[in-house]
């Protein structure tokens, strides 16, 4: 149970281990099938026809839309509009697809609604293998009766690796990775990364802490296992603090509010899924208020679960730099 909770909160941060999947070019091809793909969890998928009706986890749906496959997406499951969750689906027209998210616990899907969409293929991701993102075991079992589930694993991958994994899956589904539109997103990603490098140098000795708030706990995100944060630290030089005692799963260190001053912070990079309510919670905590970031209202939003596309992360990094420039 703790691992499953960690997987859900890993949204508050993210990923780490090389996935074992392969596409047709890796030897997973079924010559008798019109569509053949071996996904990152080793699931071999073979269909008599190319899948044209996709039921997709919401942030993955946004990424596939960025890659030109929006017309194939008939339904989604997972966060769409609440608080900061909108950034998880940036680029997706949430009004053009049917939302089959269930009303139960995390990962619940309305199986009857999903069946009505007649999907050819279900697509989601995995942050901690073999757990599926926004699909609990019961929902996954129900959906497998409708169509195969294709999984893109982010577990253990660097940011470019997870974005490339999404593109490989998209290419198998018919995306043209050589199109001007897609190649332009790679250029945008590189340019945004250069901006992060520049602002990182300009920040000097300022410290940045990434985290989020909950009623009883304060979570400090761990850049070592979060692919976007680790990329910004290791490749782009962003001065993010590394917590010294991460919880099981490694994505964050949970602290009581009485210990919210364990790590100093000139700037607080907050998980934007907490929304305004989360920021108000931070403002009400006396120990957290002793941090320089709190004293100076130096809060910068961080989309911890962005669509896994080069375009989405280019946009995210550009927003990050715009916000950090205001702190100089």
């Amino acid at each position: 149970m703790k691992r499953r909770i960690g997987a859900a909160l890993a949204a508050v941060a993210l990923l780490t281990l090389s996935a074992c999947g392969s596409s047709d070019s890796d030897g997973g091809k079924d010559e008798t099938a019109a569509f053949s793909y071996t996904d990152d969890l080793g699931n071999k998928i073979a269909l008599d026809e190319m899948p044209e009706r996709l039921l997709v986890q919401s942030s993955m749906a946004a990424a596939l839309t960025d890659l030109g496959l929006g017309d194939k997406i008939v339904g989604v499951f997972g966060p769409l509009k609440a608080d900061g969750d909108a950034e998880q689906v940036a680029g997706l027209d949430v009004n053009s697809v049917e939302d089959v998210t269930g009303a139960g616990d995390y990962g619940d899907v309305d199986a009857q609604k999903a069946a009505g969409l007649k999907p050819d293929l279900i697509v989601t991701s995995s942050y901690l293998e073999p757990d599926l993102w926004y699909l609990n075991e019961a929902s996954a079992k129900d959906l497998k009766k409708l169509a195969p589930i294709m999984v893109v694993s982010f577990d253990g991958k660097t940011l470019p690796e997870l974005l490339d994994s999404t593109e490989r899956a998209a290419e198998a589904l018919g995306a043209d990775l050589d199109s001007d539109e897609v190649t332009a997103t790679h250029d945008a990603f590189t340019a945004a990364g250069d901006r992060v490098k520049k602002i990182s140098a300009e920040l000097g000795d300022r410290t940045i802490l990434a985290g989020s708030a909950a009623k009883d706990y304060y979570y400090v995100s761990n850049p070592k296992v979060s692919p976007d944060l680790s990329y910004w630290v290791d490749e782009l030089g962003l001065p993010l603090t590394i917590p010294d005692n991460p919880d099981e799963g490694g994505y964050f260190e949970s602290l009581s509010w009485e210990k919210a001053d364990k790590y100093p912070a000139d700037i607080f990079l907050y998980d934007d899924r907490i929304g305004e309510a989360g920021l108000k919670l931070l403002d009400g905590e006396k120990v957290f208020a002793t941090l320089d970031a709190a004293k100076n209202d130096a809060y910068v939003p961080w989309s911890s679960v962005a669509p896994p596309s080069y375009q989405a992360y280019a946009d995210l990094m550009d927003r990050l730099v715009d916000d950090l420039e205001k702190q100089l």
Side-chain angles (χ1 to χ4, degrees):
M1 176 61 74
K2 188 171 183 180
R3 187 174 186 271
R4 186 170 302 283
I5 291 172
L9 287 171
V12 177
L14 303 159
L15 339 144
T16 319
L17 166 135
S18 280
C20 57
S22 63
S23 63
D24 294 348
S25 62
D26 296 322
K29 190 173 179 105
D30 181 342
E31 298 291 350
T32 65
F35 175 81
S36 176
Y37 189 78
T38 300
D39 74 9
D40 288 347
L41 298 189
N43 302 313
K44 295 182 179 180
I45 301 168
L47 300 173
D48 293 336
E49 297 179 353
M50 277 290 293
E52 298 296 333
R53 299 180 62 80
L54 306 178
L55 177 58
V56 191
Q57 188 276 326
S58 55
S59 58
M60 181 63 72
L64 294 185
T65 298
D66 286 344
L67 292 165
L69 297 176
D71 290 344
K72 291 189 175 188
I73 299 170
V74 296
V76 296
F77 53 91
L80 287 175
K81 298 178 180 179
D83 294 327
D85 286 341
E87 292 300 341
Q88 294 191 50
V89 291
L92 176 69
D93 182 358
V94 298
N95 296 313
S96 69
V97 290
E98 187 77 18
D99 182 7
V100 302
T101 306
D105 295 333
Y106 167 86
D108 186 44
V109 166
D110 186 327
Q112 185 173 0
K113 220 175 190 182
L117 296 176
K118 298 182 166 78
D120 301 319
L121 186 68
I122 292 118
V123 185
T124 189
S125 56
S126 177
Y127 285 97
L128 286 171
E129 298 180 12
D131 292 346
L132 304 183
W133 193 228
Y134 278 97
L135 278 183
N136 58 36
E137 290 182 11
S139 293
K141 184 177 180 180
D142 287 338
L143 291 185
K144 284 177 182 177
K145 297 175 183 176
L146 304 178
I149 298 177
M150 173 192 284
V151 182
V152 178
S153 176
F154 301 151
D155 194 348
K157 293 180 178 174
T158 65
L159 181 58
E161 286 172 345
L162 76 86
L163 299 179
D164 289 344
S165 289
T166 301
E167 288 199 346
R168 285 195 297 273
E171 185 175 36
L173 294 168
D176 180 5
L177 301 187
D178 294 323
S179 69
D180 291 342
E181 292 79 8
V182 174
T183 55
T185 67
H186 287 246
D187 293 338
F189 179 87
T190 300
D194 288 341
R195 290 190 67 203
V196 176
K197 280 185 182 179
K198 183 174 182 293
I199 195 71
S200 297
E202 292 173 354
L203 286 168
D205 60 358
R206 297 191 190 191
T207 58
I208 304 177
L209 197 63
S212 62
K215 182 178 179 181
D216 298 319
Y217 289 97
Y218 164 55
Y219 297 99
V220 177
S221 296
N222 182 13
K224 287 291 187 182
V225 296
S226 179
D228 51 352
L229 298 182
S230 62
Y231 184 75
W232 298 344
V233 172
D234 297 338
E235 301 298 328
L236 307 180
L238 198 66
L240 282 165
T241 298
I242 312 284
D244 57 29
N245 189 31
D247 298 353
E248 181 181 359
Y251 282 101
F252 52 83
E253 179 178 349
S254 57
L255 299 168
S256 66
W257 284 109
E258 291 77 13
K259 296 181 180 179
D261 59 350
K262 178 177 179 179
Y263 301 104
D266 296 305
I267 299 170
F268 188 68
L269 202 64
Y270 70 92
D271 186 332
D272 64 6
R273 292 173 304 163
I274 68 176
E276 289 299 319
L279 285 178
K280 288 180 181 178
L281 200 164
L282 290 173
D283 288 339
E285 292 297 335
K286 294 181 179 179
V287 176
F288 185 85
T290 65
L291 298 180
D292 287 341
K295 292 176 183 177
N296 299 320
D297 200 28
Y299 296 139
V300 170
W302 161 48
S303 299
S304 66
V305 187
S309 72
Y310 279 93
Q311 183 61 61
Y313 274 94
D315 293 342
L316 190 160
M317 289 191 290
D318 277 331
R319 290 195 303 272
L320 174 68
V321 174
D322 290 344
D323 289 330
L324 286 175
E325 286 177 341
K326 297 173 185 176
Q327 304 300 326
L328 293 177

